[in-house]
Amino acid sequence: MILILRQLSVLYIFIIIGFFFGKLKKEQNGHTGILSFLLVNLFLPAKVFNTFSKNFTVEYITENSKTAVISLALLLLLVGFSLLVSRLVFKDKYDQKVCRYSLTLANYAYMGYALCESLFGTEGLTDLILFCIPFAIYTYTFGYAMLTGKGKTYKKLLNPMTAAILLGIAVGLSEIDVPDIIVDVLSASSGCVAPLSMLLTGLTLSAFTMRELVADYKAYIVVAIRLIVIPALVYCACRLFALDSVIMPAVMMSCMPCGLNTIVFPKLVNEDCALGAKLATLSHLFSLATIPFWLSLLK
């Protein structure tokens, strides 16, 4: 528990720093676009490639052959569950879409990857990334279309993240020796993911007033479901059906707070991102208490 709180504290300190820097220098908030671009197109793909190239082997595939099926089943259940909840809580159609996205897709990449690696090492991170592949595909297809209203979402599948996964798998299976200079670049880039992603979270949220972020009771309902109900259902299902091989990545992914794409994607098409900001803020605040609880059950 102490180790979990320590690692979480490090991440949240970076969020706080980003938030106050954003408030202090509001004219610098335009740079979040550059930071986001670097994170999504360089640092995070480098971490994913680095992880898969070192850990993805024939033996690993054999031991985790059921992971993709279980993950896909969970995704489909969350899609149906989020659709039901969104219609019960919100009347506005776009707010329903934001709710559906937030309950289906947590912040498993920016926060989840960093926290998982610090607690469970690169092998644990490999398990989490593998488990989240169906969720990553959903993010850049149906999720993107849902929040932006744009079609032809299959084009979004061709991006640095999916390329990093495929290349990492190919290198890992073939056991190709990556040149030392490339390894050093990948390691340095990977080390930037945790602080940069948390700073970006703080900077993004700093564009809103605290009153805007904490005054909507409906947001608290969604956050409670995201941080308590969904992890509880996932944990109990894993224990009930003896899914010991996936319980760590499943619980790790499901207990993460709401992600930032409910802010980033709407901004691309000038949609209202107020609800996304509320959900991101409240879920990150309360997850400081809920994440240690859920992860302590995995020990």
Side-chain angles (χ1 to χ4, degrees):
M1 179 69 79
I2 295 177
L3 178 59
I4 296 172
L5 286 172
R6 179 178 177 180
Q7 296 300 329
L8 271 177
S9 297
V10 171
L11 296 177
Y12 277 82
I13 286 172
F14 278 112
I15 293 179
I16 294 171
I17 291 173
F19 183 84
F20 280 107
F21 276 4
K23 289 295 187 182
L24 186 63
K25 294 287 186 179
K26 293 184 178 181
E27 68 276 8
Q28 302 298 322
N29 279 351
H31 295 317
T32 56
I34 299 174
L35 295 178
S36 179
F37 179 85
L38 289 172
L39 186 62
V40 173
N41 294 284
L42 175 60
F43 299 136
L44 198 55
K47 176 178 282 293
V48 169
F49 174 84
N50 210 23
T51 302
F52 269 82
S53 63
K54 292 179 179 178
N55 298 282
F56 203 88
T57 61
V58 175
E59 181 182 0
Y60 178 81
I61 294 176
T62 303
E63 294 176 352
N64 297 274
S65 57
K66 297 180 181 179
T67 298
V69 176
I70 296 172
S71 176
L72 182 59
L74 176 58
L75 173 61
L76 294 177
L77 289 172
L78 286 176
V79 168
F81 177 71
S82 66
L83 179 61
L84 175 63
V85 172
S86 66
R87 290 178 175 176
L88 291 174
V89 178
F90 296 100
K91 293 182 179 180
D92 181 80
K93 294 296 183 182
Y94 192 77
D95 284 349
Q96 289 180 4
K97 293 178 181 179
V98 173
C99 177
R100 287 168 56 192
Y101 187 99
S102 297
L103 293 180
T104 304
L105 300 163
N107 192 356
Y108 63 85
Y110 296 161
M111 174 173 283
Y113 289 173
L115 184 59
C116 183
E117 185 176 28
S118 64
L119 295 175
F120 301 101
T122 57
E123 291 184 1
L125 178 59
T126 305
D127 292 342
L128 179 60
I129 295 175
L130 179 65
F131 188 86
C132 291
I133 287 177
F135 289 84
I137 294 174
Y138 185 88
T139 298
Y140 292 104
T141 53
F142 294 102
Y144 178 82
M146 184 163 50
L147 295 180
T148 64
K150 292 187 176 182
K152 297 182 179 180
T153 55
Y154 64 88
K155 293 182 178 180
K156 288 290 178 181
L157 290 177
L158 185 60
N159 59 67
M161 281 294 295
T162 55
I165 292 172
L166 294 175
L167 287 174
I169 290 174
V171 172
L173 291 176
S174 61
E175 298 183 353
I176 297 174
D177 289 329
V178 180
D180 291 341
I181 185 65
I182 301 299
V183 172
D184 291 342
V185 171
L186 291 172
S187 297
S189 298
S190 298
C192 295
V193 171
L196 183 58
S197 60
M198 296 301 99
L199 286 170
L200 182 61
T201 299
L203 285 168
T204 302
L205 297 178
S206 70
F208 301 87
T209 66
M210 288 305 298
R211 182 179 178 82
E212 290 176 314
L213 296 174
V214 301
D216 188 347
Y217 77 93
K218 291 183 179 181
Y220 287 87
I221 297 175
V222 177
V223 168
I225 296 172
R226 171 74 271 170
L227 297 180
I228 300 174
V229 176
I230 292 177
L233 293 174
V234 170
Y235 178 80
C236 291
C238 288
R239 290 301 188 194
L240 179 64
F241 296 104
L243 301 176
D244 295 337
S245 62
V246 299
I247 189 169
M248 187 283 288
V251 172
M252 172 68 76
M253 184 275 296
S254 64
C255 76
M256 289 296 108
C258 301
L260 295 179
N261 282 339
T262 51
I263 303 173
V264 176
F265 286 169
K267 279 189 174 182
L268 296 175
V269 291
N270 295 317
E271 277 282 5
D272 182 16
C273 59
L275 178 59
K278 295 172 187 176
L279 296 178
T281 300
L282 293 173
S283 63
H284 278 79
L285 286 174
F286 290 118
S287 67
L288 189 56
T290 58
I291 289 177
F293 171 76
W294 293 117
L295 296 189
S296 68
L297 299 180
L298 302 178
K299 299 295 185 179

